[in-house]
Amino acid sequence: MTADGRGSVAEPPGLETQRREIESLLRESELRSGDSWYVVDHRWFEQWKEFVETGDQNSSSYPGQIDNTELYEDLDSYHLKERLAENEDFVLVPAEAWHKLHVWYGMVGGQPPLERKVVDLPSTLKVEVYPVEVFLCLHSNMETVITAQFSRTDNIHAIQRAICQAFSVPPDSECRLWMKSSDSSCERLRNVHMSVLDTGLSSGMTVIMETRNADGTWPSSRPQIMKNSVEEQDSYRGQPGVSGLTNLGNTCFMNSALQCLSNTPALTEYFLQNSYLEELNFTNPLGMKGEIAEAYADVIKQMWSGRHYSVVPRVFKTKVGHFASQFLGYQQHDSQELLSFLLDGLHEDLNRVKNKEYFELRDADGRPDQEVAEEAWRNHRRRNDSVIVDTFHGLFKSTLVCPECKKVSVTFDPFCYLSVPLPVSKERVMEVFFVSLDPYAKPVQHRVVVPKVGRVSDLCAALSEMTGTPATQMVVADVFNHRFYKIYNADESLNCILDRDDIFVYELSAPQEDQVLLALYLREQSHYRDYGAGSSSYGTSLFGHPLLLKVPHGSCSREALYELFLQRLARYVRPPDPSEELEEEEEEDEEEEELYRSQTNGISDDEQQEAEPAGSSCCSNASPNSQSEGAAAAAAEPQPDADRSMSSLDHGDTETSTGSPDQAGPACSSNDGDPCGDTGAGAAAGGSEAPAEQPQQSSETAEEGNEEDKQGEARSPSPPASEHPAKRRACRKRRRSLFTIQAVNSNGTTERGMGERGSAVSFSSQPYVAIDWDPDMKKRFYNENEAEKYVKHASMEVPQQQMTVQLQECIELFTTVETLEEENPWYCPVCKLHQLATKKLDLWSLPEVLIIHLKRFSYTKFTREKLDTIVDFPLRDLDFSGLLLKKSVSSAEPPSRYDLIAVSNHYGGLRDGHYTSYARNKDNSQWYYFDDSKVTYATEDQIVTNAAYVLFYHRQDKIRKPTLPTPNANSASSTQASNDITSCRDEDEEVVPGASSASTMETD
């Protein structure tokens, strides 16, 4: 009641009664947080006290109407003066006393009551005489600012209502508030239920309100658009929910999971209708302060606005990485793992239970299942109550039996999704290349069936049945980038061989005493010397296919190896014709002689003369030891990836560099004797007995000619010893070999020193040898086309039968009895020991939306693999009635039939791959295929594939009828074609590290 004069107020009681009532209220009223007190001018209140104490109604001390004029700076804004002091400038009276005084005396016209709240400040309660005065404005018009006062106990929602009222914003608009301080930094006022005091809002700050755009974005953080212009995006109108998600870099796993959840009707409508705003839980210590729920809501609203070809979920990705560090960065992850985190995060952010009670789990102890299940579900809901529980949570029955005392423990546990196993085959199919001992036989590609947990010897035995070659005469190797990544022992496990590896099986000669397994690489020298490392060697690069062959220990001299290699490569290396001259003339002066000395054997004339007899007898076919050639290859040749480069240095291989002439000289003289004793190499090659039948000869390269080798002075052999004069200056003609032999390390890059006792191989370490080809010689005598040819065995023509299982089989496998592993025993309350009990899971009740995770990634003690089994899952009428333990006791029980609504797909293997999804739109029931930002129509016959990874099923009683007609995919293709913006698969898949030379042969 407002009174403007003495005559319009209610008749007050006697003065003594007034004094007694007001003094009693002042004396007995205590400060309680949130209560209202009123500010009254001290002069007026003292005059009232004097008036009531006189006891005379007609006293001249009558105070008149309540007048606070002296407290205001001006009567226009009614702002209080600064630094007013209690009991000097004003007094505080409780609300009840104020209302009595107001009724008895009224108030000067126009003046507002100075109501103030009691606030609970740290360690004290206080009447808030000076409330928080803030500036209010809209994000769309920050020039128009109003001033408003709010108590520190008011919540942020009161400020939002005040802004909506002041700027005529519809009250049902979805809004966000920002707090801007004087330093221009803005902070979200996320929890509208928090008080002004708790948010830190103080006088002089500005509160900005923004409303969500029609396309689901916010004006303050509009995302990057996936079209040429904002205008084009703004003009786009498409089917809500049919929107791609941009791949931010290996985020296809996240996009796939989001598309599946986006097409879950109950969850999406919950967010589209803004139901989440009232259920955001900002205080849950297990939650993310509502941030995950808000970020997810932003993505859903943009996808379902019908105004985006593709949405950029960058803010959502950042939030996920912030709260789950395993998803930080841009590595590939598992869509099911993200789905599990997201559902749990959304549940805790939207949990309606603010204070969780503690319940101790009780065992059944013989009680009926129905009673125990209802108790477990009731206790679960008392701690967990959210839209996620309403939509996705069901109940398991878990039965454990102790193997010793036969104690049976029955509990009921909630679940959010079913992770069902796939039947695992005990065999695997491997594709290998068999390299015969016959030099004229092409490699043969075989497909063999071996035990999944078998050994390399099993692979050799299976291949032996196909080829007739004894398994003891086989060696298995992984070829990578023209070199051996690993040479396997017979007792090694096949688990370390991946399906994508290029496996070669080499036939070896019959075992003999004193043999060495020699690995042979092919290298090509560059035309240019590499002077960067302080030497004048040639750079080299590997090419072709490496070979494995057994060599007698005594036949490792250069001349013997040269003959052996030439014979082994006979299919694609053409021996020189006798009519072809492989010698060249040269005019040497002193400088050339010095260069020759430094780049070949570097042996003095005296040493050559001393070694001449040996050279004429045993070095007729040996090629010179160009020790410095290829010394820089380790730097020039690209190395395998890190994991392979570590494994490739087997048997403690130590890399050494022998590029200096001082090191090379003695080694060469001991091995070759006479440095000019290689003249017979070319003749021997030309005169060697070739088999009468060489069918490949016709396909050999014809680019021979009589061109002179421009690099001869550095690597050509010297004239034969019989023609050797006393002075090197007289050496004017030198025979050339097709290639030179060089000991190398397992990578085929770093040069080694020569071996012991004239051999080309060092037997103190692993025997790897490279033959170095001059580019011109390679062009004339090496047939690359023939070297790459191979033959497919009949086993390759037999189509691989794809294993197919029914989804029901997987679910039944999930409910079978299993024995706990040693790492996860169960504590028996009777035995008082941890026991390897038997465990059986049964389905008790199922949720509205059932998520089924197919466990395609298998990890055991022995194997790691991805199962490409086709799981035949129904698109309609998936019936669980035969699997549910809970039997319907009334017609009110929900049915147990489900229809498919979404599928998350994974293509690829363990280390790489790509995620996509199929989903059915809730509004028009049309299936779509989502591949990152690319969206296309899909038909039902496309959905069941061996890539299906996570299935989403909707219970039939909850499926609503579509609100729109199903579009015709053919007629609407022009609409969807605009959605085919880009596929991010290329940037998403990891690159298989360097396919070997065989990958060209095998797949390209």
Side-chain angles (χ1 to χ4, degrees), residues 426 428 430 448-465 471 474 476 489-495 505:
K426 295 182 179 180
R428 64 180 287 196
M430 296 183 66
V448 294
V449 179
V450 295
K452 186 164 287 186
V453 293
R455 301 188 178 277
V456 172
S457 57
D458 296 320
L459 170 61
C460 295
L463 194 59
S464 176
E465 294 181 7
M474 294 182 183
V476 180
N489 296 320
D491 60 346
E492 287 192 70
S493 173
L494 289 175
N495 295 328
V505 181

Side-chain angles (χ1 to χ4, degrees), residues 245-259 317 330-335 338 904-907 912-917 930-933 984-985 987-989:
L245 289 169
T246 304
N247 193 313
L248 306 174
N250 283 332
T251 58
C252 60
F253 72 97
M254 180 183 77
N255 295 346
S256 176
L258 284 175
Q259 292 288 8
K317 167 73 173 65
Y330 296 93
Q331 300 299 314
Q332 183 65 280
H333 294 282
D334 190 307
S335 67
L338 176 82
S904 175
N905 302 308
H906 177 267
Y907 301 91
D912 53 22
H914 182 60
Y915 287 92
T916 64
S917 55
F930 298 91
D931 186 356
D932 289 334
S933 55
C984 298
R985 182 166 183 172
E987 68 186 62
D988 199 58
E989 291 183 344

Side-chain angles (χ1 to χ4, degrees), residues 295-332:
Y296 177 77
D298 287 347
V299 173
I300 292 299
K301 286 178 179 291
Q302 292 174 47
M303 293 173 66
W304 286 85
S305 67
R307 300 182 180 227
H308 294 285
Y309 296 99
S310 181
V311 172
V312 184
R314 193 177 306 279
V315 174
F316 178 80
K317 167 73 173 65
T318 303
K319 294 292 184 186
V320 168
H322 175 72
F323 290 106
S325 59
Q326 66 267 31
F327 297 114
L328 276 173
Y330 296 93
Q331 300 299 314
Q332 183 65 280

Side-chain angles (χ1 to χ4, degrees), residues 471-716:
T472 55
Q473 290 181 225
M474 294 182 183
V475 61
V476 180
D478 184 353
V479 176
F480 174 77
N481 218 14
H482 312 291
R483 55 172 64 88
F484 290 116
Y485 164 48
K486 186 171 184 181
I487 301 173
Y488 294 98
N489 296 320
D491 60 346
E492 287 192 70
S493 173
L494 289 175
N495 295 328
C496 54
I497 300 179
L498 304 180
D499 290 337
R500 67 181 182 183
D501 291 341
D502 294 316
I503 302 301
F504 282 69
V505 181
Y506 296 88
E507 180 186 1
L508 304 177
S509 57
Q512 298 177 7
E513 292 185 3
D514 202 21
Q515 281 185 324
V516 60
L517 182 63
L518 193 64
L520 175 64
Y521 292 152
L522 281 70
R523 302 194 303 183
E524 181 178 3
Q525 296 173 333
S526 67
H527 275 294
Y528 305 100
R529 294 190 181 94
D530 181 10
Y531 295 97
S535 67
S536 55
S537 63
Y538 289 94
T540 60
S541 59
L542 292 170
F543 71 94
H545 309 303
L547 292 172
L548 285 172
L549 58 161
K550 278 196 173 181
V551 181
H553 196 291
S555 301
C556 289
S557 63
R558 290 186 176 275
E559 62 273 15
L561 291 179
Y562 185 87
E563 276 297 314
L564 182 62
F565 295 164
L566 203 61
Q567 180 183 357
R568 193 71 179 85
L569 305 174
R571 183 169 61 88
Y572 43 89
V573 174
R574 181 180 64 83
D577 191 81
S579 63
E580 293 180 282
E581 289 294 334
L582 293 181
E583 60 183 25
E584 63 178 6
E585 296 183 6
E586 60 179 17
E587 293 294 334
E588 289 185 337
D589 55 18
E590 292 300 329
E591 293 181 2
E592 287 175 338
E593 181 177 356
E594 190 63 33
L595 180 63
Y596 172 86
R597 187 177 294 179
S598 65
Q599 291 181 356
T600 55
N601 295 319
I603 305 175
S604 66
D605 293 337
D606 295 337
E607 290 173 325
Q608 293 170 7
Q609 291 172 355
E610 292 173 4
E612 188 172 334
S616 61
S617 62
C618 68
C619 295
S620 60
N621 291 332
S623 51
N625 178 26
S626 304
Q627 286 291 334
S628 61
E629 291 174 3
E637 179 72 23
Q639 296 290 330
D641 56 354
D643 58 336
R644 291 188 173 236
S645 63
M646 292 300 294
S647 305
S648 60
L649 296 175
D650 285 340
H651 311 299
D653 187 319
T654 305
E655 299 187 11
T656 58
S657 176
T658 57
S660 72
D662 292 338
Q663 291 174 309
C668 293
S669 63
S670 64
N671 288 334
D672 295 317
D674 187 353
C676 296
D678 291 345
T679 89
S688 61
E689 293 184 13
E693 191 173 307
Q694 293 190 17
Q696 290 83 11
Q697 199 71 12
S698 61
S699 64
E700 300 289 352
T701 177
E703 302 175 7
E704 298 168 3
N706 292 323
E707 60 177 325
E708 294 293 348
D709 186 358
K710 298 300 185 292
Q711 308 298 328
E713 61 265 16
R715 300 178 344 275
S716 296

